[in-house]
């Protein structure tokens, strides 16, 4: 009998205004039924949400706005997640600008990774419970909103003891660093790698993960104010050598290395002259992996690098790797990286910013306020 009343009132709740629903509920004098109906009703719909959306592609500061989103139905296999934190990544900005290879159709909610807490689950969901911490894995579009409803297959449960800002940012940058260290050549303890863009989060992660496995790192920075402080910061993370591009304006850059072996693997996220400096360090038969192009300049390679050094040029795009039937492997690596972060063995600079201050955080992410740490929205 109670189930019949519950089902009847739940159906009315979906069809009538909330005031009518409450009136019908008050007519049911059984307190147990009232409680069950309230629970059933709250599980059917998510709470209203606040989101950062863009209706067209363009300059992020111009096309993004905050909107109120209506409740969303939570279906049998859905999980409703209350977002806790989500970063502003360069790829998020590129998607809004319309220049990223893969982007959601507009209008769209911004954001691609983050961490949240399970708010409610559909009737067929067994592996998640309210209060669990989860991340979208692989990442999913639309993390810049207070509540997200997605199929249970999207979510990966993580340890609630994980530091929140690391849980929000663990998938894109640290996982890129780990995969690039493992996917292109076999590195052994005592080997070396070289990279530009060393102060980026990927760069910071490469230094620490390499150090953890006994691999040396040679790091290249742009010539700019604060480079001395940046060098010290990277050395504290575990960098073996740190050079500015100006220091490498010599004929034999390898003469600057002391007891380090010539690197077999290099990483480029800048392009232009900075990529050429990475190539100069590589040993015979070495490989340079390009995963970004911050300078927006092409990678130029000398003929001798191919003929006499037999260098290889490769590319890496995490999104492609994650969509190639790697879901389980991806989640295992995320757990591993979160353990490193929890133990203090993996760290990088971030700034938590209240969600309501989104446009301030966006200006910082766009570089309008000078060099800033990774901006992470806290809901």
């Amino acid at each position: 009998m109670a189930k019949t009343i519950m089902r009847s009132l739940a159906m009315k709740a979906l069809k009538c205004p909330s005031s009518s629903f409450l009136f019908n509920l008050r007519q049911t004098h059984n307190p147990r039924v009232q409680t069950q109906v309230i629970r059933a009703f709250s599980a059917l719909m998510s709470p209203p949400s606040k989101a950062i959306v863009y209706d067209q592609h363009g300059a992020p500061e111009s096309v993004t706005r905050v909107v109120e989103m209506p409740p969303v139905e939570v279906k049998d296999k859905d999980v409703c997640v209350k977002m806790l934190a989500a970063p502003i990544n360069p790829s998020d900005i590129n998607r809004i600008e319309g220049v990223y290879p893969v982007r959601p159709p507009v209008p769209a909610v911004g954001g691609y990774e983050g961490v949240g807490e399970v708010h409610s689950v559909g009737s067929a969901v067994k592996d998640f419970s309210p209060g669990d911490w989860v991340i979208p894995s692989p990442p999913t579009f639309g993390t810049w909103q207070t509540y997200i409803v997605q199929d249970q297959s999207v979510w990966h449960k993580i340890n609630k003891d994980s530091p929140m800002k690391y849980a929000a940012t663990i998938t894109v940058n640290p996982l890129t660093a780990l995969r690039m260290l493992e996917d292109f050549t076999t590195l052994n303890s005592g080997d070396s790698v070289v990279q530009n863009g060393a102060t980026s989060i990927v760069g910071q992660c490469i230094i620490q993960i390499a150090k953890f496995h006994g691999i040396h790192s040679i790091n290249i920075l742009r010539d700019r104010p604060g480079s001395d402080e940046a060098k010290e910061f990277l050395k504290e993370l575990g960098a073996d050598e740190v050079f500015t591009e100006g220091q490498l304006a010599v004929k034999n850059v390898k003469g600057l290395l002391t007891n380090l072996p010539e690197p077999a693997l290099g990483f480029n996220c800048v392009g232009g002259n900075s990529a050429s400096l990475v190539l100069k360090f590589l040993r015979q038969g070495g490989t340079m992996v390009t995963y970004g192009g911050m300078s927006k300049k092409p990678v130029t390679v000398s003929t001798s690098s191919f003929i006499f050094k037999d260098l290889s040029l490769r590319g890496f795009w995490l999104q492609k790797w994650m969509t190639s039937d790697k879901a389980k492997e991806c989640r295992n690596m995320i757990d591993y990286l979160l353990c490193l972060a929890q133990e203090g063995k993996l760290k990088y600079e971030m700034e938590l910013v209240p969600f309501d201050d989104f446009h301030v955080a966006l200006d910082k992410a766009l570089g309008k306020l000078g060099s800033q740490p990774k901006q992470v929205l806290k809901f």
Side-chain angles (χ1 to χ4, degrees), residues 74 77-81 140-142 145 148-155:
V74 182
K77 295 183 179 181
D78 284 347
V79 176
C80 175
V81 173
T140 187
F141 298 122
Q145 58 183 314
I148 301 177
V149 176
Q150 290 276 14
D151 187 88
Q152 60 182 340
S153 61
V154 168
W155 303 106

Side-chain angles (χ1 to χ4, degrees), residues 135-372:
I135 62 173
S137 177
T140 187
F141 298 122
T143 57
W144 294 350
Q145 58 183 314
T146 50
Y147 289 91
I148 301 177
V149 176
Q150 290 276 14
D151 187 88
Q152 60 182 340
S153 61
V154 168
W155 303 106
H156 173 51
K157 188 191 304 184
I158 63 169
N159 190 331
K160 290 182 69 172
D161 293 331
S162 302
M164 182 176 66
K165 59 185 179 181
Y166 285 95
T169 58
I170 203 70
T171 303
V172 172
N173 292 306
L175 190 54
T176 293
L178 180 61
R179 291 286 11 119
M180 291 196 303
L181 282 166
E182 295 190 354
D183 283 358
F184 294 94
T185 190
T186 300
L187 295 171
N188 299 308
S189 180
D191 287 343
S192 296
V193 297
V194 57
Q195 66 170 339
N196 56 31
T199 56
S200 68
I201 290 187
V202 173
Q204 294 176 49
C205 291
I206 284 173
I207 290 169
Q208 294 169 88
I209 297 171
K211 186 78 172 180
F212 189 65
H213 290 90
I215 298 166
H216 304 290
S217 65
I218 302 156
N219 303 275
I220 303 170
L221 305 177
R222 288 178 293 170
D223 292 282
R224 62 181 180 182
S227 58
D228 289 339
E229 291 81 358
K231 284 184 180 181
E232 290 303 314
F233 170 70
L234 295 181
K235 287 288 186 72
E236 290 174 3
L237 289 182
D240 292 277
E241 296 284 0
V242 186
F243 303 104
T244 61
E245 292 180 2
Q247 288 179 286
L248 301 178
V250 295
K251 186 173 183 179
N252 180 23
V253 297
K254 294 178 182 177
L256 299 172
L257 301 180
T258 52
N259 299 317
L260 298 184
E262 294 178 353
L265 186 60
F267 306 110
N268 164 52
C269 67
V270 180
N273 179 62
S274 186
S276 300
L277 295 175
V278 171
L279 290 169
K280 284 185 178 182
F281 274 105
L282 291 177
R283 74 185 186 195
Q284 180 80 19
T287 299
M288 184 177 78
V289 181
T290 292
Y291 66 98
M294 291 189 295
S295 72
K296 298 183 179 179
K297 295 180 180 178
V299 174
T300 304
V301 189
S302 66
T303 303
S304 61
S305 293
F306 284 127
I307 297 176
F308 304 116
K309 292 184 67 179
D310 192 26
L311 299 184
S312 298
L313 302 186
R314 301 287 301 277
F316 181 80
W317 186 26
L318 182 68
Q319 187 164 337
K320 181 180 179 182
W321 181 86
M322 288 190 298
T323 55
S324 58
D325 197 26
K326 300 285 187 179
K328 184 176 180 180
E329 186 178 354
C330 175
R331 293 179 177 187
N332 288 339
M333 287 184 292
I334 285 170
D335 291 339
Y336 165 72
L337 291 167
L338 281 175
C339 283
L340 292 182
Q342 190 174 341
E343 295 169 2
K345 297 176 181 176
L346 183 68
K347 51 189 177 182
Y348 40 88
E349 288 189 305
M350 291 174 282
E351 180 182 3
L352 284 172
V353 182
F355 180 61
D356 290 340
D357 293 336
F358 167 75
H359 280 96
V360 175
L362 181 62
D363 284 345
K364 290 182 178 181
L366 291 169
K368 293 185 177 183
L369 302 177
S371 179
Q372 299 286 336

